[in-house]
Amino acid sequence: MSGTHKQRKILFLAANPKATSSLRLQEEEREIKEKLRIQGYGKVPISSSGATRPRDIQQAMLDSRPQIVHFSGHGMGKEGLIFEDIDGQTKLISSEALAELAKIFSERGLECAVLNACYSDFQANALAQYIPYVIGMSQSIGDRAAIEFLIGFYGAIGAGESVEFAYRLGCNAIALAGYSGDLVPKLLQKKKHSLPKEMVKRASSMYPDPPPEIPDPISEEKLKIALDNSILSWRRVETYIQEEREQVRVEISRKYKFKTFIDVIEFMHQTAPVCEHVLHHPRWENLWRTVEVYLTTWDIEHQISDRDIQLAKFLDHAFANFPGSDFEN
């Protein structure tokens, strides 16, 4: 590997309690490490935790801060994934508990979870609420087929490919090796937020279709009433236009703080079509999990019109659709 792409931190969690059937976990880990080493990940390409107990999981996550967490072991469908207790016996961890862990570490860069355990699609669905990619097994899968999948998957990850591409290569690796089960691994992606239809309809009706080309500016008194009542968290700001240093631009501004950077991009992606529909486009600045929005009406020499007030209301409603997001003053 030339080093031109970022290496993802990977955490390998393994559990094969005494009362469960024996799995080839050491071989699996060795194959993954070797594939990553070939791609230039170094002598110790992943962090690992063997005979993993529930109390070990959080500490391993804190120590390695992984972008990819890999679990290898047994699953019991809806009942959960099997880990070990202090005596090496089975200890079930529920989908809800694992999902909450994923939710917490999604704020620390967790991108993907690979659940190499039979019937782990229940847990995969729970985790996919909070992290971008999760791979689970829809039914039982043989050791050799599972290992071939992981060789293909991590070979692509080591080469800097996307999770989607790596998943497809992993499934193909099973087929190329002549094993059945290439349809067992399932890739789930975090569900994107979607604005309610009534919200889109409301935004689309802000102005006649087509919107007026040149709206009327509102008075300072009417702007103050809006800022004090309907768009409480917005503020009036003045800036000089860079190209015309003598001209003052009057804007209303609002800063939003999101749970993740991905939510920031999704918010902008969702609201952009509405802005285009009403022919009114915000100026916004993004820094990590925050986006600051500035609204002014360019057609009336950068003054505030009712179009700005209505769009500010819509953006506030759209933002409220992102759970866990906070307004930031």
Side-chain angles (χ1 to χ4, degrees):
M1 187 175 70
S2 63
T4 58
H5 58 264
K6 182 181 177 180
Q7 294 183 351
R8 296 177 174 96
K9 294 181 181 178
I10 302 168
L11 172 63
F12 184 92
L13 302 174
N16 196 175
K18 299 173 184 177
T20 60
S21 59
S22 179
L23 299 171
R24 303 167 75 170
L25 302 186
Q26 289 184 325
E27 179 182 354
E28 181 178 322
E29 182 178 3
R30 183 176 66 249
E31 292 283 7
I32 293 172
K33 287 183 175 180
E34 178 62 13
K35 201 65 176 178
L36 292 172
R37 186 192 65 78
I38 292 173
Q39 297 292 354
Y41 261 52
K43 294 182 179 179
V44 186
I46 60 177
S47 302
S48 59
S49 171
T52 307
R53 301 167 299 177
R55 66 175 61 171
D56 299 327
I57 303 173
Q58 285 189 351
Q59 191 60 53
M61 297 284 287
L62 288 169
D63 289 342
S64 61
R65 293 289 183 92
Q67 278 81 55
I68 299 176
V69 61
H70 178 110
F71 171 74
S72 187
H74 292 281
M76 290 191 65
K78 294 181 180 180
E79 296 183 53
L81 297 181
I82 300 176
F83 287 83
E84 298 191 15
D85 62 17
I86 58 174
D87 298 316
Q89 300 302 314
T90 61
K91 180 69 175 181
L92 281 170
I93 298 183
S94 69
S95 300
E96 292 75 18
L98 292 169
E100 181 62 24
L101 183 69
K103 179 180 179 182
I104 294 169
F105 278 92
S106 68
E107 301 174 8
R108 296 293 184 271
L110 182 61
E111 300 173 3
C112 176
V114 180
L115 307 179
N116 185 25
C118 297
Y119 305 102
S120 56
D121 53 340
F122 294 99
Q123 291 72 46
N125 275 288
L127 269 61
Q129 298 177 76
Y130 304 110
I131 55 178
Y133 302 100
V134 184
I135 296 173
M137 303 299 165
S138 60
Q139 55 185 283
S140 178
I141 186 170
D143 277 358
R144 285 311 320 167
I147 289 174
E148 289 299 329
F149 172 80
L150 297 173
I151 290 173
F153 178 82
Y154 283 107
I157 291 295
E161 297 290 350
S162 67
V163 172
E164 298 102 314
F165 182 90
Y167 164 76
R168 291 167 56 197
L169 210 64
C171 292
N172 180 248
I174 297 175
L176 288 176
Y179 296 110
S180 60
D182 57 303
L183 299 179
V184 174
K186 300 296 182 183
L187 173 65
L188 301 177
Q189 297 188 43
K190 180 182 176 182
K191 294 181 179 178
K192 296 182 177 181
H193 301 289
S194 59
L195 297 181
K197 291 182 179 180
E198 60 272 16
M199 187 181 298
V200 177
K201 183 178 180 181
R202 177 181 180 277
S204 299
S205 63
M206 287 195 299
Y207 296 98
D209 193 6
E213 292 185 6
I214 302 179
D216 294 324
I218 63 173
S219 66
E220 287 292 330
E221 181 182 2
K222 187 174 180 180
L223 174 58
K224 186 177 187 305
I225 291 173
L227 293 172
D228 290 343
N229 293 277
S230 58
I231 51 171
L232 289 169
S233 297
W234 291 73
R235 59 192 177 94
R236 181 187 185 278
V237 296
E238 291 185 3
T239 57
Y240 283 104
I241 300 175
Q242 187 173 2
E243 298 81 7
E244 303 175 42
R245 295 292 295 174
E246 299 302 318
Q247 184 174 354
V248 174
R249 173 171 53 200
V250 180
E251 298 173 298
I252 54 174
S253 175
R254 183 74 182 86
K255 183 180 285 187
Y256 301 109
K257 185 176 181 180
F258 292 82
K259 184 178 176 182
T260 67
F261 175 70
I262 293 173
D263 285 345
V264 172
I265 301 303
E266 184 64 21
F267 172 78
M268 298 170 74
H269 175 74
Q270 287 186 9
T271 55
V274 172
C275 297
E276 182 70 15
H277 177 80
V278 298
L279 300 181
H280 196 48
H281 306 91
R283 180 171 71 91
W284 39 30
E285 298 175 357
N286 164 236
L287 179 62
W288 190 28
R289 294 187 293 118
T290 64
V291 59
E292 189 156 10
V293 182
Y294 297 86
L295 297 175
T296 188
T297 304
W298 294 40
D299 299 329
I300 52 175
E301 298 185 346
H302 304 280
Q303 298 181 68
I304 303 301
S305 72
D306 191 59
R307 184 180 296 181
D308 300 298
I309 305 301
Q310 295 302 322
L311 189 55
K313 292 178 183 178
F314 168 71
L315 293 174
D316 281 349
H317 280 290
F319 174 74
N321 193 51
F322 287 75
S325 302
D326 298 316
F327 286 105
E328 180 167 300
N329 296 316

